Amino acid sequence: MSATTTVTQSESANNILRLFPEINTQLAAQTQNSATQDDDLAGYDEEQIRLMDEVCIVLDDNDVPIGSASKKICHLMENINKGLLHRAFSVFLFDSQDRLLLQQRASEKITFPDLWTNTCCSHPLGIPTETGATLPAAIEGVKRAAQRKLQQELGINPAQVPIEKFDFLTRIHYKAPSDGKWGEHEIDYILFIKADVDLDINPNEVRDSKYVAAQELKDMFKDSSLKFTPWFKLICESMLFEWWEHLNGGLEKYKGETEIRRM
C-alpha cells in the first residue's frame, strides 16, 4: 500500500509539473536538503542553523540577479572562492542627536560572531518583494528587507522606520573570510536612516548595542580589545565619516550612486 501511494504521488507530481511548467522546484529541493540536517552546521546554534535555509539573491559582478541559493551555500568559503556572489545591505541608523546605533553580533552567529558592526547587516531574500533586476527595484527590495531585519534583530517597530525614510547611498563589492569555512562575498547596499527608535533586542542576533558619536567610534577603532566586521571597517575607513558630517545638510550629493565601489 505504501509503495502504491508513493508511485501515485510521483505521477501526480509529474503531471502537475507538466501542466504548470512555471513552477519553480528549487524551494522544494532545498527543503529536502535543509541546513538542519547538514553536517557542515553541526554544533551551531539551532536558530542560526534554521536561518541558513533563507534564500539569498545570487548575482553576476554587475549586480544582476542570476538565480538564488541558500544562505549556507552563499557563505561557504569554498563556494565564495569559486566566485559565488550575493546581494546584501548595511543599515546605518542615526538618532536625533546624530549618534550612530552600533550592534555587537551575538556569539551564536555562524559568521563573524561577537564583532561590532553597523546597526544592521543582512540580505534581501530571493522573493518578489525583495529582489530587483534594475537598480531602482533592487533599492526598494533592500529597503523592505532592512525594515524586516531591523525588527527581527533589534525589535524596531516598522512604523518607526518607514520605507520612505531610508536613503540609498551606494553599493560596495567586497570579499572577506570569517574563518576557514565561512565568509562573505557581497554587493552591499548602503542605507542611511535618521530615526528615534525603541529597541527590543533579540539576544540570538545581538549581544550588545550602543549609540556613538563620530569621535567615540574613532576611539573604539583605537581600542585593540574591540573587533569589527570587515565590511564595517571598509565603509568607515573610506566613506562613513564624510557622509556623517553631511547628515543634516549636503548628503544629497552622496545619494543614489550608480557605480559599484569595488573594495
Side-chain angles (χ1 to χ4, degrees):
M1 189 69 175
S2 174
T4 302
T5 301
T6 302
V7 171
T8 301
Q9 288 175 335
S10 178
E11 289 174 353
S12 173
N14 289 334
N15 187 48
I16 290 293
L17 291 173
R18 281 195 297 269
L19 290 172
F20 304 99
E22 62 270 30
I23 290 175
N24 185 343
T25 60
Q26 182 179 354
L27 183 59
Q30 182 176 309
T31 302
Q32 293 170 1
N33 297 284
S34 171
T36 58
Q37 304 163 7
D38 197 320
D39 289 343
D40 281 327
L41 293 162
Y44 288 106
D45 176 80
E46 183 177 338
E47 173 63 10
Q48 292 298 320
I49 292 174
R50 185 189 68 78
L51 291 172
M52 280 296 200
D53 276 335
E54 290 186 337
V55 179
C56 293
I57 303 163
V58 177
L59 308 168
D60 69 11
D61 283 348
N62 294 313
D63 192 28
V64 177
I66 57 176
S68 59
S70 71
K71 184 178 175 183
K72 179 239 175 179
I73 289 171
C74 289
H75 289 81
L76 281 169
M77 280 306 301
E78 63 179 298
N79 298 332
I80 289 170
N81 289 333
K82 294 174 184 176
L84 191 60
L85 173 68
H86 63 278
R87 185 174 288 164
F89 65 83
S90 289
V91 174
F92 292 75
L93 185 149
F94 300 86
D95 67 5
S96 56
Q97 301 177 52
D98 295 342
R99 298 178 303 170
L100 174 62
L101 177 61
L102 305 182
Q103 68 155 276
Q104 184 182 23
R105 292 164 66 86
S107 302
E108 289 82 358
K109 300 289 283 187
I110 294 170
T111 58
F112 306 99
D114 300 312
L115 302 190
W116 283 94
T117 194
N118 50 286
T119 313
C120 181
C121 333
S122 192
H123 315 92
L125 300 180
I127 57 177
T129 56
E130 296 185 10
T131 303
T134 65
L135 182 57
I139 291 169
E140 288 304 303
V142 297
K143 287 179 179 180
R144 292 189 189 98
Q147 189 183 59
R148 171 177 56 81
K149 289 300 289 186
L150 285 167
Q151 183 175 36
Q152 189 255 331
E153 293 188 2
L154 295 159
I156 297 173
N157 189 319
Q160 294 184 322
V161 285
I163 297 293
E164 62 272 13
K165 287 192 69 173
F166 287 96
D167 287 319
F168 164 72
L169 275 70
T170 191
R171 296 169 287 176
I172 66 168
H173 178 185
Y174 77 96
K175 178 166 69 173
S178 175
D179 55 23
K181 180 182 286 188
W182 306 103
E184 290 284 11
H185 186 206
E186 302 178 328
I187 292 181
D188 190 13
Y189 284 58
I190 310 304
L191 301 175
F192 269 29
I193 186 167
K194 191 168 181 179
D196 288 321
V197 297
D198 298 310
L199 302 180
D200 183 13
I201 289 174
N202 177 354
N204 190 256
E205 291 285 341
V206 179
R207 176 175 166 181
D208 197 2
S209 67
K210 65 184 298 184
Y211 283 96
V212 294
Q215 187 57 52
E216 289 176 298
L217 179 55
K218 291 175 182 178
D219 291 341
M220 287 179 69
F221 278 116
K222 295 175 184 176
D223 186 341
S224 60
S225 68
L226 300 177
K227 305 299 180 184
F228 300 88
T229 60
W231 61 87
F232 183 49
K233 288 181 70 176
L234 280 171
I235 295 165
C236 288
E237 290 168 357
S238 60
M239 301 167 281
L240 176 63
F241 294 105
E242 183 176 349
W243 291 337
W244 204 336
E245 289 176 3
H246 294 87
L247 188 61
N248 296 308
L251 193 62
E252 289 296 329
K253 65 181 178 181
Y254 300 103
K255 294 180 185 177
E257 193 169 271
T258 57
E259 294 298 315
I260 300 170
R261 296 181 181 234
R262 312 288 180 177
M263 300 284 183

